[in-house]
Amino acid sequence: MALFEGVYLGDMKEWIFAETFLGKRRAIIKCCIPETLRVFDGMSDAKMEGVLELRAMTEWMFLRYSITVVYQQSIGAVCILDWPKERMLVQVLDDSDEVDTQHLIKAEVHKWQQRGVRIIYRHRLIRTGYKAGNLKSAMGCDYVKDYEFVAIFDADFQPTPDFLKKTVPYFKGKDDLALVQARWAFVNKDENLLTRLQNINLSFHFEVEQQVNGIFINFFGFNGTAGVWRIKALEESGGWLERTTVEDMDIAVRAHLCGWKFIFLNDVKCLCELPETYEAYKKQQHRWHSGPMQLFRLCFFDILRSKVSWAKKVNLIFLFFLLRKLILPFYSFTLFCIILPLTMFLPEAELPAWVVCYIPGVMSLLSVLPAPRSFPFIVPYLLFENTMSVTKFNAMISGLFRFGSSYEWVVTKKLGRSSETDLIAFEKESEPLMRSNSLQRSSSDSGLGELSKLGLSKKTGKTKRNRLFRKELYLAFILLAASVRSLLSAQGIHFYFLMFQGISFLVVGLDLIGEQVS
């Protein structure tokens, strides 16, 4: 294995690594981008090699701007990682079924090969198992056995050049450490109301769920991207399995049950993008809530039979699986969408104000604390989370009872909305590294040549249309009718809540939140 020794050089604020070779195993670091671009990074001279794996998806065909602008950025971000280039191999695993996409990725790979980057293109002919199948196929390559770590990135993720130097050293002297997970940073978190509300939710997920669990019990769910795994931990945990649509959570749970530990780095961030349309966000949330219920059903008895402490078993069952993925969606859906509206038509039924207002208000306040700039959106956040409870409850039921929709993997469409500032910053950041490695590139390669076209593409794009979401519209009608009934019966506090919640369902049902579908 390889060990790292970090030396801090005062004002230079740089880490210099001295690697000590202690065996024949090397280090692997992989990075993924959806369709599947993969980077394998190695350190032969220091006897420590890494593999970076990138996955690129057909989803990029749905980008608002030219596909080359965005995925060139993502591939380029991996190819310029601050790691000795002679010790780095990039493997592109393409899962697309569109010939045009394959040609574009091949051309990009060829361009970086000519610049001296060790990069390989591979295309899967049998596209089974979705992301898990792709990762499993890549891990089966003969050269993987020579590596020790793997870093994974999804397609819209762009690691900073120092990503590896900020993550890999944590494995030094910690033979039981399986995963080092970085935080996501969103380039479009302020783009519209939908992205702002998503940012609140995910900030709570990172800073409370993952960071706190990482500190106290050394476990949290792998986010599927922007993380570095120890290959030995993946192998001993059974590798990537195709049995659910949440392969990242699956491998994390199995590694935890085998006694491996995780570290979450809240200060190491990887740029990515939030879905900006309600349709894309809804499909994403359906997979994120049906998948965990599939996994819970499959691994419940494995958790009980495992050798981890009962405290960890309780945490896995009740906090990791049931609380956020089952109890809260069930509570929100049944209370605010069924019980509360019905009480307005049943005079003898009454719900106390603390059930309707105080508990949801406190929960929303706690959720906003990790993102204090989002405090003005606390009321819209509460209403929107209640609205999303319909999708989450439906997903929970389909996953728990093995309905067909729980096994559907729908790619989350992104708009490729990197701002001009992001593109310029990427260009400036990459220039010194490109010069240091004799890899010169023109401004058009990074997408700067396309900046003048961005405004034009917005104006000349297809006419946008709003979709109608029937479930949300039906519930909007029920809630607004209940609010009128509440007003007539002089139940003031219930009237205001039902009215605003009904309006929230109406706005979402008419697709007036986020970007409209073109």
Side-chain angles (χ1 to χ4, degrees):
M1 73 180 277
L3 294 181
F4 291 85
E5 295 179 2
V7 181
Y8 184 67
L9 303 180
D11 294 336
M12 293 180 65
K13 296 183 178 179
E14 293 181 355
W15 284 91
I16 300 209
F17 298 93
E19 304 83 11
T20 306
F21 179 62
L22 296 180
K24 293 185 178 180
R25 260 191 97 76
R26 308 171 190 174
I28 187 181
I29 301 167
K30 293 186 180 181
C31 309
C32 306
I33 296 185
E35 217 123 86
T36 315
L37 309 173
R38 191 163 283 192
V39 176
F40 294 89
D41 172 9
M43 296 185 63
S44 54
D45 295 342
K47 311 302 182 184
M48 185 283 183
E49 293 195 54
V51 177
L52 282 125
E53 173 180 295
L54 282 169
R55 305 178 53 250
M57 289 196 269
T58 318
E59 170 192 0
W60 290 116
M61 297 304 293
F62 295 98
L63 292 176
R64 166 168 305 186
Y65 312 128
S66 171
I67 179 175
T68 57
V69 174
V70 179
Y71 88 73
Q72 277 185 349
Q73 259 185 280
S74 299
I75 297 177
V78 175
C79 289
I80 66 167
L81 282 170
D82 193 2
W83 210 255
K85 298 305 172 186
E86 69 279 4
R87 306 165 186 170
M88 180 173 175
L89 171 66
V90 182
Q91 184 187 18
V92 178
L93 305 181
D94 180 11
D95 237 8
S96 67
D97 56 0
E98 298 187 20
V99 177
D100 292 340
T101 302
Q102 296 170 20
H103 289 330
L104 286 169
I105 298 175
K106 285 180 181 178
E108 185 69 12
V109 169
H110 181 66
K111 181 179 71 177
W112 284 100
Q113 286 175 338
Q114 290 182 322
R115 293 172 175 172
V117 176
R118 297 172 59 205
I119 182 169
I120 301 172
Y121 175 87
R122 296 182 71 235
H123 183 268
R124 230 173 27 134
L125 296 178
I126 303 176
R127 301 168 62 245
T128 59
Y130 302 116
K131 180 177 177 179
N134 213 338
L135 290 169
K136 183 178 180 179
S137 173
M139 295 297 293
C141 297
D142 293 338
Y143 46 77
V144 173
K145 65 180 183 296
D146 296 325
Y147 298 94
E148 187 175 357
F149 304 105
V150 52
I152 301 174
F153 300 94
D154 277 349
D156 55 320
F157 281 72
Q158 298 168 14
T160 56
D162 58 355
F163 180 85
L164 296 180
K165 288 189 174 181
K166 287 183 175 180
T167 53
V168 176
Y170 282 90
F171 289 97
K172 177 187 175 182
K174 299 175 182 176
D175 294 337
D176 58 349
L177 181 60
L179 169 66
V180 175
Q181 173 72 63
R183 178 175 175 160
W184 302 355
F186 308 109
V187 297
N188 61 336
K189 63 181 179 180
D190 297 323
E191 194 64 41
N192 55 45
L193 180 59
L194 178 60
T195 58
R196 290 178 183 272
L197 299 179
Q198 291 179 68
N199 183 55
I200 295 174
N201 215 345
L202 289 171
S203 294
F204 180 86
H205 169 67
F206 294 132
E207 297 197 22
V208 177
E209 292 181 325
Q210 295 206 305
Q211 186 168 222
V212 172
N213 283 336
I215 292 173
F216 289 102
I217 61 175
N218 298 117
F219 169 73
F220 46 82
F222 174 44
N223 294 330
T225 177
V228 181
W229 275 91
R230 187 187 297 272
I231 293 293
K232 182 180 179 181
L234 292 175
E235 293 173 346
E236 291 187 358
S237 304
W240 301 100
L241 298 182
E242 307 167 15
R243 58 182 182 173
T244 72
T245 57
V246 284
E247 74 297 321
D248 46 7
M249 182 180 289
D250 190 354
I251 188 64
V253 170
R254 286 184 280 119
H256 181 55
L257 296 179
C258 290
W260 291 97
K261 295 181 179 180
F262 302 169
I263 288 179
F264 180 76
L265 304 179
N266 195 50
D267 57 339
V268 179
K269 299 179 180 179
C270 191
L271 284 178
C272 62
E273 183 183 351
L274 291 165
E276 293 184 26
T277 68
Y278 178 68
E279 180 187 24
Y281 180 64
K282 183 177 181 179
K283 291 178 179 178
Q284 180 196 68
Q285 291 301 303
H286 186 278
R287 179 167 58 87
W288 283 8
H289 284 78
S290 65
M293 290 299 99
Q294 297 175 38
L295 181 60
F296 177 69
R297 179 174 44 80
L298 292 170
C299 70
F300 176 72
F301 291 106
D302 293 334
I303 295 174
L304 294 180
R305 289 191 295 261
S306 67
K307 297 180 180 179
V308 300
S309 66
W310 276 101
K312 291 184 176 181
K313 293 179 182 179
V314 170
N315 174 74
L316 262 178
I317 294 173
F318 292 102
L319 297 181
F320 185 74
F321 278 112
L322 297 184
L323 181 61
R324 289 273 287 181
K325 302 301 181 183
L326 191 149
I327 296 175
L328 291 182
F330 178 80
Y331 169 82
S332 297
F333 176 74
T334 55
L335 177 62
F336 299 115
C337 301
I338 299 177
I339 297 176
L340 182 58
L342 288 178
T343 58
M344 299 300 102
F345 299 96
L346 301 173
E348 62 277 8
E350 183 177 353
L351 283 177
W354 62 269
V355 174
V356 179
C357 298
Y358 300 151
I359 292 181
V362 171
M363 292 173 61
S364 298
L365 180 62
L366 294 175
S367 298
V368 172
L369 287 179
R373 289 182 56 194
S374 301
F375 187 80
F377 300 93
I378 185 171
V379 174
Y381 173 75
L382 169 62
L383 298 174
F384 182 67
E385 280 299 292
N386 291 338
T387 304
M388 285 303 301
S389 67
V390 179
T391 297
K392 295 176 181 179
F393 179 79
N394 180 60
M396 175 195 73
I397 295 298
S398 66
L400 202 57
F401 296 100
R402 305 175 65 179
F403 294 156
S405 61
S406 64
Y407 292 94
E408 294 177 359
W409 180 291
V410 180
V411 174
T412 305
K413 297 180 182 179
K414 307 290 180 64
L415 299 181
R417 192 189 291 276
S418 291
S419 66
E420 296 182 11
T421 309
D422 297 323
L423 290 171
I424 294 172
F426 176 79
E427 174 72 10
K428 290 180 178 178
E429 192 173 49
S430 58
E431 278 180 355
L433 289 168
M434 300 299 288
R435 287 196 298 268
S436 66
N437 290 279
S438 301
L439 300 176
Q440 303 296 331
R441 65 178 181 177
S442 64
S443 61
S444 62
D445 290 337
S446 66
L448 287 177
E450 302 291 331
L451 287 176
S452 61
K453 303 177 184 178
L454 298 184
L456 181 62
S457 64
K458 292 181 181 179
K459 296 177 183 178
T460 60
K462 295 180 180 179
T463 303
K464 297 178 181 179
R465 59 181 175 82
N466 290 39
R467 290 200 57 181
L468 299 180
F469 298 94
R470 294 182 179 180
K471 291 180 182 178
E472 287 78 358
L473 290 175
Y474 292 154
L475 285 166
F477 174 78
I478 293 173
L479 289 168
L480 290 174
S483 69
V484 174
R485 174 62 181 170
S486 174
L487 179 63
L488 296 176
S489 59
Q491 299 187 47
I493 192 169
H494 292 163
F495 162 72
Y496 289 111
F497 181 84
L498 289 166
M499 180 183 68
F500 286 117
Q501 189 64 70
I503 293 174
S504 175
F505 270 99
L506 183 63
V507 168
V508 171
L510 294 176
D511 197 15
L512 298 177
I513 185 171
E515 281 288 315
Q516 278 68 56
V517 180
S518 60

